[in-house]
Amino acid sequence: MSRLVSLCKRRGFVYPASEIYGGLNGFWDFGPLGVQLKNNLRDAWWHDMVECPPLGPDGKPLSIVGVDTAIIQHPKAWVASGHVGGFADLMVDCRETKNRYRADHIMVEEVLVAKKSGEVKSLGLFGYVDKDDLQKKLKKFVQKSGGGDIKYHEPSNPRPYTSLSTNERSQVIGPDAENPGTLTEPRAFNLMFHSYTGVFQDEDSKVYLRPETAQGIFLEYKNVLDSNRVRPPFGIAQVGKSFRNEVTPRNFIFRTREFEQMEMEFFCAPEDGLMWYEFWVAERLRWWEEQGVKKDNLFRHIIPESELSHYSKGTSDIEYRYPFTAPEFGELEGVAYRTDYDLKQHQEHSKVNLEYIDQEQNRRYIPHVVEPASGLTRGVLVLLCEAYQYDESRASPEWLKLKPSLAPIKVGIFPLVNKDGMPEVAEKLYLDLRKDYTCQYDAKQSIGKRYARMDEAGTPFCVTVDGDTLKDQAVTIRDRDTAQQERVALANVRAYVKEKLG
Amino acid sequence: MSRLVSLCKRRGFVYPASEIYGGLNGFWDFGPLGVQLKNNLRDAWWHDMVECPPLGPDGKPLSIVGVDTAIIQHPKAWVASGHVGGFADLMVDCRETKNRYRADHIMVEEVLVAKKSGEVKSLGLFGYVDKDDLQKKLKKFVQKSGGGDIKYHEPSNPRPYTSLSTNERSQVIGPDAENPGTLTEPRAFNLMFHSYTGVFQDEDSKVYLRPETAQGIFLEYKNVLDSNRVRPPFGIAQVGKSFRNEVTPRNFIFRTREFEQMEMEFFCAPEDGLMWYEFWVAERLRWWEEQGVKKDNLFRHIIPESELSHYSKGTSDIEYRYPFTAPEFGELEGVAYRTDYDLKQHQEHSKVNLEYIDQEQNRRYIPHVVEPASGLTRGVLVLLCEAYQYDESRASPEWLKLKPSLAPIKVGIFPLVNKDGMPEVAEKLYLDLRKDYTCQYDAKQSIGKRYARMDEAGTPFCVTVDGDTLKDQAVTIRDRDTAQQERVALANVRAYVKEKLG
């Protein structure tokens, strides 16, 4: 993983945000290659969701439209959605170390020490996040409290910190602390960033940065229904930034505080909800495979009924085997059958009727919703992890095997040497091809180094104008994956690239 | 203008954000047609700036790369850029009326009244924003304080509110107030939205939502230089959301609190700055014309030297004749020659050397910067204003004459009637064309109404499958602008659309 992070920095995929000021925890910037890769993934999703959505079970194309809603919406929307009240983690602070922990991550065990004399005493209640860390810490405590005189010590009966009584909690030794009683009671910490709009800064002007794009879709559901020829089943899709004040941003661009999402809310008749839920899980798995992600690295994690949100009738996470989760998987996309929960909440809080009137069937209902919600930022990470190759036998061992249509640069164009008429021919080809395909013209360093640079960028094709080109009007095209070269007529380069990109 | 706003709502271009909750001042959402139009404008800019930038004065293609930086950056970046200290308006509140004024908008005059007896007395210090309003107000005051007995009254010696002493300010009668002493001292009101990142909410964790995308580019200038084969002159471009807590958002999506920008910073040698400034002003004017904006509706407003920022050696606004400014113009894009101000500021505050080392010329310098900074949200407004047509002689009088390649829907596809094999043929055509062009299939209502709907959406081509199609394998294609129909072979529809879109 660290090699990938370093490649990303070195080649301009992803940089830490505000790096010259020491960075800002949880924020990243996309460089020239990264923004192209991200845009390509975004456009592929938008094309396949909005402009050319899949065929439904009846063989007819689905009806899905796009929107782009504001990041800042009326604060009541977040009360209705439950985010103001519920979008919080219970956190525990340590007054001794100033560390903060998720309350549900802390386990507590009492540690008993028996002296050689037979006397047994308690060393105290030890909190820990990682059992191994507890063992290391205990060694020190045991030494301090008698060392060689100790026959045995053992922690026993692990319990969650949250299950302890207030009195017991006041005696716990924090995971990184040395003294008991320095952990606070669990306190709710809302993950939404807030700000103030307008001229006054008070509770009335408090607004939130959206923690998901989905709610903007629910807010516009009625306007879309009124202004477009759509009716259930239909979808509304959106791509955009969201913000969550994560307590522990980590794993590169996997968990960040500012990120992009690609979300679609699919509105259907209540009785069809479960059918569409299964449809979208299958469709989204298929789609990620189509972007070049190996089937073996994808996993459908069905959330057990006991862990579902109270309103959900089914949720599956589409997970990916990240380097930092392997051999296990981590979340990439969630497909949730959210029933009519969100629209009902907004109807209740806004007092606006959000029912759909089905005139053919002479009935009215609040549509049920199936939501495939994917991370775009996370999707870029998956593409990078999946594409990253290390092969000592190549001139440049590191290369990215990206699906050609998603590659930031489609064609590298080089004059073999920077003279003898070669640059002119190469430049002409560049000026023509770049109208339709992102190209990079490069005339510097050895041809091997130029290939290596393009390999690191994931560029599928490199076209070289050489000494023979002026005679035979042909160039060599090198394939990134096989490193094989083919002689292609200059006039056919465009058709060659078009065909290979599919 | 109100007709355009209403069309935008009715057809799904732009909706007020959070409308079901009564809206939120300064925030708007894009509906299905609006998001396609906005994406098309964004993609045209990105293509012409990043993927296929213009040729420079030497006939060689310019070197420009893209980035996508975080909205939230290290707060020190905004100190360095001057936004924390300077991006503020001085505001004055009125405790009597609760109105708020820009401090530099308030003028103050003392009003003297002479009675018929010859006695002269002061009516007080009157603040006003509009001189006419002051006259109206004085009439009332004069009546109250003696009416017929008054020989003359006159305000005299107008002075800016900001130039008064604190003691004098405490005696001013506010512009809409009746009593003296209700105006506050001028107070800075920063236009940046702020929030807090991490677990604590204090000055150390205070962050800002970027008021412009440009600074993110300056922050990554060094990383881009180090990780890409670029050297001055070269550009870094970015499209993304920015936020400004405008005191008075107005004119639909012209001045909003959340908006999108398309900005490019062009880095060059100091001696070339003015040349590139003129180059980019001309190029950007040309580009807006290419998007279908009439030359007559565009205006280059050269900011007079006396009004320039202290660091700028030249700024021109590219202005558009909006319906609400006509016959005058309002801002669409600014092209500013910012010298080396921004990079120098960041170098000083970050202590990171941002010089460029020119090895060929054996010198080092901080590049000068020319910035074409355009509003994307505002660009969409310009396209809509420019395209809006009202023609009573047409079936639907309102229609949008958008440049075909920017239109949200490229092709409407209709079966003339929804039977006799027509839907099958139309649907097949739709499934084929939609892979490459955004299409809308519509089988409802009369053909005239369907044309009218497409006219309102700005769709350049409508293809109708009729009773003859099964026999002659041809369809009619109706042109939006002329309303003329052409018979085209089914097999040639794709080529027809491709050619017309250019």
Side-chain angles (χ1 to χ4, degrees):
Chain A
M1 191 68 194
S2 64
R3 281 205 299 228
L4 177 61
V5 174
S6 142
L7 176 72
C8 282
K9 167 92 194 287
R10 179 162 50 83
R11 289 299 277 114
F13 279 95
V14 180
Y15 312 120
S18 291
E19 195 176 11
I20 61 173
Y21 290 102
L24 190 62
N25 191 12
F27 296 88
W28 299 83
D29 294 342
F30 287 87
L33 294 179
V35 67
Q36 291 292 145
L37 178 61
K38 179 158 72 72
N39 287 354
N40 291 344
L41 183 62
R42 171 198 74 190
D43 292 347
W45 188 87
W46 192 261
H47 178 268
D48 296 343
M49 270 311 198
V50 177
E51 295 172 346
C52 202
L55 304 183
D58 61 357
K60 299 272 182 186
L62 298 180
S63 171
I64 306 183
V65 297
V67 295
D68 183 40
T69 66
I71 287 171
I72 294 178
Q73 298 282 351
H74 198 292
K76 278 187 189 164
W78 302 110
V79 174
S81 71
H83 286 86
V84 167
F87 194 57
D89 286 334
L90 285 177
M91 305 302 296
V92 171
D93 290 310
C94 177
R95 283 181 287 257
E96 179 183 324
T97 63
K98 309 295 177 204
N99 285 340
R100 174 165 287 197
Y101 310 92
R102 272 182 56 168
D104 59 348
H105 284 180
I106 304 179
M107 294 297 290
V108 177
E109 301 194 20
E110 182 166 21
V111 178
L112 298 176
V113 180
K115 302 219 169 186
K116 293 214 168 114
S117 64
E119 181 200 354
V120 175
K121 71 167 196 172
S122 170
L123 263 191
L125 290 170
F126 284 75
Y128 63 93
V129 174
D130 182 307
K131 187 97 186 190
D132 289 344
D133 289 345
L134 174 65
Q135 294 299 350
K136 284 178 209 158
K137 186 173 171 179
L138 281 181
K139 277 189 194 155
K140 286 190 211 161
F141 271 76
V142 166
Q143 275 180 331
K144 260 206 258 174
S145 67
D149 187 33
I150 287 175
K151 206 164 74 180
Y152 68 87
H153 72 273
E154 56 187 28
S156 61
N157 187 23
R159 284 181 296 157
Y161 182 73
T162 48
S163 73
L164 270 52
S165 70
T166 306
N167 182 38
E168 284 175 312
R169 280 204 282 262
S170 71
Q171 300 165 34
V172 170
I173 301 165
D176 302 291
E178 301 202 353
N179 303 300
T182 64
L183 292 184
T184 64
E185 287 289 291
R187 290 186 289 210
F189 176 70
N190 197 296
L191 292 181
M192 282 197 293
F193 284 93
H194 72 268
S195 189
Y196 301 93
T197 184
V199 288
F200 301 103
Q201 295 189 8
D202 53 26
E203 278 306 305
D204 287 344
S205 65
K206 190 172 181 179
V207 290
Y208 303 94
L209 306 192
R210 68 180 174 203
E212 58 174 38
T213 63
Q215 295 302 323
I217 293 176
F218 293 122
L219 294 175
E220 289 302 358
Y221 149 83
K222 193 176 148 54
N223 271 333
V224 169
L225 206 56
D226 290 348
S227 63
N228 290 267
R229 293 226 167 134
V230 287
R231 56 181 199 173
F234 78 102
I236 305 179
Q238 166 156 245
V239 175
K241 288 238 167 136
S242 292
F243 298 79
R244 293 182 189 179
N245 195 1
E246 298 282 355
V247 176
T248 47
R250 65 176 181 277
N251 291 326
F252 196 33
I253 54 171
F254 177 76
R255 188 177 305 282
T256 61
R257 286 174 171 161
E258 176 176 340
F259 55 100
E260 268 179 288
Q261 296 184 292
M262 311 186 287
E263 298 195 299
M264 196 269 289
E265 309 299 316
F266 198 74
F267 301 87
C268 64
E271 63 274 18
D272 296 335
L274 278 171
M275 183 270 284
W276 286 114
Y277 165 59
E278 289 299 332
F279 174 90
W280 281 111
V281 170
E283 171 58 25
R284 295 304 302 152
L285 274 164
R286 188 199 64 73
W287 191 83
W288 282 110
E289 279 184 57
E290 200 177 275
Q291 307 317 311
V293 184
K294 280 184 288 294
K295 200 182 184 118
D296 280 357
N297 287 338
L298 291 169
F299 176 70
R300 175 183 178 176
H301 172 206
I302 302 173
I303 310 295
E305 213 165 320
S306 60
E307 294 173 23
L308 286 179
S309 312
H310 64 91
Y311 52 79
S312 177
K313 283 198 179 169
T315 298
S316 290
D317 282 349
I318 294 177
E319 299 187 332
Y320 176 74
R321 186 185 279 125
Y322 298 94
F324 48 81
T325 61
E328 297 305 313
F329 297 78
E331 194 184 344
L332 162 61
E333 171 159 353
V335 181
Y337 175 19
R338 304 176 64 93
T339 69
D340 54 4
Y341 176 76
D342 304 272
L343 287 179
K344 265 196 177 154
Q345 287 291 109
H346 286 299
Q347 173 171 283
E348 190 185 316
H349 283 78
S350 70
K351 312 288 178 215
V352 172
N353 190 321
L354 298 179
E355 282 175 321
Y356 169 69
I357 299 167
D358 184 340
Q359 283 168 328
E360 280 177 25
Q361 293 200 34
N362 197 23
R363 65 168 181 165
R364 47 176 67 207
Y365 59 85
I366 304 254
H368 277 217
V369 169
V370 175
E371 172 193 272
S374 182
L376 172 55
T377 315
R378 210 170 263 188
V380 169
L381 177 59
V382 166
L383 293 184
L384 286 168
C385 290
E386 189 71 10
Y388 184 83
Q389 311 286 322
Y390 193 85
D391 178 354
E392 291 275 6
S393 73
R394 289 172 72 118
S396 166
E398 287 186 298
W399 63 288
L400 295 181
K401 196 176 178 175
L402 290 163
K403 182 184 180 184
S405 63
L406 293 175
I409 304 168
K410 303 290 187 281
V411 189
I413 299 176
F414 318 142
L416 183 61
V417 289
N418 208 3
K419 57 181 182 181
D420 299 337
M422 292 179 220
E424 290 76 7
V425 176
E427 214 171 281
K428 189 159 168 259
L429 180 67
Y430 167 68
L431 287 175
D432 174 50
L433 273 190
R434 71 173 193 155
K435 288 179 207 153
D436 298 303
Y437 306 102
T438 46
C439 295
Q440 189 153 98
Y441 181 86
D442 192 357
K444 280 182 202 156
Q445 296 187 306
S446 75
I447 195 75
K449 283 196 178 156
R450 283 181 268 171
Y451 284 155
R453 275 182 67 80
M454 285 297 113
D455 279 353
E456 285 180 346
T459 306
F461 312 109
C462 289
V463 178
T464 304
V465 171
D466 57 28
D468 292 334
T469 302
L470 288 178
K471 291 174 236 159
D472 66 358
Q473 292 296 309
V475 292
T476 58
I477 303 188
R478 173 184 177 273
D479 182 275
R480 176 195 66 197
D481 300 351
T482 63
Q484 295 299 305
Q485 298 180 22
E486 230 180 301
R487 195 86 188 158
V488 176
L490 250 180
N492 293 343
V493 171
R494 174 176 278 272
Y496 178 97
V497 171
K498 187 179 177 187
E499 193 209 315
K500 291 278 182 174
L501 288 176
Chain B
M1 193 67 192
S2 64
R3 279 205 299 229
L4 177 61
V5 174
S6 139
L7 175 72
C8 281
K9 167 92 194 284
R10 180 163 48 84
R11 289 299 276 115
F13 280 94
V14 181
Y15 313 119
S18 294
E19 196 176 11
I20 61 172
Y21 289 102
L24 190 62
N25 192 13
F27 297 88
W28 298 83
D29 293 342
F30 287 87
L33 293 180
V35 68
Q36 290 292 146
L37 178 60
K38 180 158 70 70
N39 287 354
N40 291 343
L41 184 61
R42 172 197 73 190
D43 292 346
W45 187 88
W46 192 259
H47 178 268
D48 296 344
M49 271 307 196
V50 178
E51 295 171 346
C52 201
L55 304 183
D58 61 357
K60 300 271 181 187
L62 299 180
S63 171
I64 305 182
V65 298
V67 295
D68 184 41
T69 65
I71 288 170
I72 295 178
Q73 297 283 351
H74 198 292
K76 279 189 189 162
W78 303 109
V79 175
S81 70
H83 286 87
V84 166
F87 194 59
D89 288 333
L90 285 177
M91 307 299 298
V92 171
D93 290 309
C94 177
R95 284 182 285 259
E96 179 183 323
T97 65
K98 309 294 175 205
N99 285 340
R100 172 166 288 199
Y101 310 93
R102 274 183 54 168
D104 59 348
H105 285 181
I106 303 179
M107 295 297 292
V108 177
E109 301 194 20
E110 181 166 22
V111 178
L112 299 174
V113 180
K115 300 222 169 185
K116 291 210 168 118
S117 64
E119 181 201 353
V120 175
K121 70 166 198 174
S122 170
L123 263 191
L125 291 168
F126 283 75
Y128 64 92
V129 174
D130 182 306
K131 186 96 186 188
D132 289 345
D133 288 344
L134 174 66
Q135 294 300 351
K136 285 178 208 157
K137 186 172 170 179
L138 282 180
K139 277 190 191 157
K140 285 191 212 160
F141 271 76
V142 166
Q143 274 182 333
K144 262 207 255 173
S145 66
D149 187 34
I150 288 174
K151 207 164 73 180
Y152 70 86
H153 71 274
E154 55 188 29
S156 61
N157 186 24
R159 285 182 295 158
Y161 181 74
T162 49
S163 73
L164 270 53
S165 70
T166 305
N167 182 38
E168 285 175 310
R169 281 204 283 264
S170 72
Q171 300 164 35
V172 171
I173 301 165
D176 303 290
E178 303 202 352
N179 302 301
T182 64
L183 291 185
T184 64
E185 288 290 292
R187 291 186 287 208
F189 176 69
N190 196 294
L191 292 181
M192 283 197 291
F193 284 92
H194 72 267
S195 189
Y196 301 93
T197 184
V199 289
F200 300 104
Q201 294 189 9
D202 53 27
E203 278 306 304
D204 287 344
S205 65
K206 192 172 179 179
V207 290
Y208 302 94
L209 306 192
R210 67 178 175 205
E212 59 174 38
T213 62
Q215 295 302 325
I217 293 176
F218 293 122
L219 294 176
E220 290 301 356
Y221 149 83
K222 192 176 149 53
N223 271 332
V224 169
L225 206 56
D226 290 347
S227 62
N228 289 268
R229 294 225 167 133
V230 288
R231 54 180 201 173
F234 79 100
I236 306 179
Q238 166 155 246
V239 175
K241 289 239 166 136
S242 293
F243 299 79
R244 294 182 189 180
N245 195 2
E246 298 282 355
V247 176
T248 48
R250 63 176 182 278
N251 291 325
F252 195 33
I253 54 172
F254 177 76
R255 188 176 303 283
T256 60
R257 287 176 170 160
E258 176 176 339
F259 55 101
E260 267 178 289
Q261 296 183 293
M262 311 187 287
E263 297 195 298
M264 195 270 289
E265 310 299 316
F266 198 73
F267 301 88
C268 63
E271 63 274 19
D272 297 335
L274 279 170
M275 184 271 284
W276 286 113
Y277 165 59
E278 288 300 332
F279 174 89
W280 281 110
V281 171
E283 171 58 27
R284 295 305 302 153
L285 274 164
R286 188 200 64 72
W287 190 84
W288 281 110
E289 279 184 56
E290 200 176 274
Q291 309 317 311
V293 184
K294 280 184 288 292
K295 199 181 184 118
D296 281 357
N297 287 339
L298 290 170
F299 176 71
R300 175 182 178 176
H301 173 208
I302 301 174
I303 310 295
E305 214 166 318
S306 60
E307 293 173 24
L308 286 179
S309 312
H310 65 91
Y311 52 80
S312 177
K313 282 198 179 169
T315 299
S316 290
D317 283 348
I318 294 177
E319 298 187 333
Y320 176 74
R321 187 184 278 125
Y322 297 93
F324 48 81
T325 61
E328 298 305 314
F329 296 78
E331 192 185 345
L332 163 60
E333 171 159 353
V335 182
Y337 175 18
R338 305 177 63 94
T339 68
D340 54 5
Y341 176 76
D342 304 273
L343 287 180
K344 265 196 176 153
Q345 286 291 109
H346 285 299
Q347 174 171 280
E348 190 185 318
H349 283 78
S350 70
K351 313 287 179 215
V352 173
N353 190 321
L354 297 180
E355 282 176 321
Y356 169 68
I357 299 167
D358 184 340
Q359 283 168 328
E360 280 176 25
Q361 295 200 33
N362 195 22
R363 65 169 182 165
R364 49 176 66 207
Y365 58 84
I366 303 256
H368 275 217
V369 169
V370 174
E371 171 193 272
S374 183
L376 171 55
T377 314
R378 213 170 258 187
V380 169
L381 177 59
V382 166
L383 293 183
L384 287 168
C385 291
E386 189 72 10
Y388 184 84
Q389 310 286 321
Y390 192 86
D391 178 355
E392 291 276 4
S393 73
R394 288 173 71 117
S396 165
E398 288 185 299
W399 63 289
L400 295 181
K401 197 177 177 174
L402 291 164
K403 180 183 181 184
S405 63
L406 293 175
I409 303 168
K410 303 290 186 282
V411 190
I413 299 175
F414 317 142
L416 182 61
V417 289
N418 209 3
K419 57 181 182 182
D420 299 337
M422 293 179 220
E424 289 75 7
V425 176
E427 215 172 279
K428 191 160 165 259
L429 180 67
Y430 166 69
L431 287 176
D432 175 50
L433 273 190
R434 71 172 192 157
K435 287 180 208 153
D436 298 303
Y437 307 103
T438 46
C439 295
Q440 189 154 99
Y441 182 87
D442 191 358
K444 280 183 202 155
Q445 295 187 305
S446 75
I447 195 79
K449 284 196 176 154
R450 282 180 268 172
Y451 284 155
R453 275 181 68 80
M454 285 296 113
D455 279 355
E456 286 180 346
T459 306
F461 313 109
C462 289
V463 178
T464 304
V465 171
D466 58 26
D468 291 335
T469 302
L470 288 179
K471 290 174 238 158
D472 67 0
Q473 291 296 310
V475 293
T476 59
I477 303 189
R478 173 186 177 270
D479 181 275
R480 175 197 64 196
D481 301 352
T482 64
Q484 296 298 306
Q485 297 181 21
E486 231 180 301
R487 195 87 187 157
V488 176
L490 249 181
N492 293 342
V493 171
R494 173 176 279 271
Y496 178 97
V497 171
K498 187 180 178 186
E499 193 208 317
K500 292 277 182 174
L501 289 176

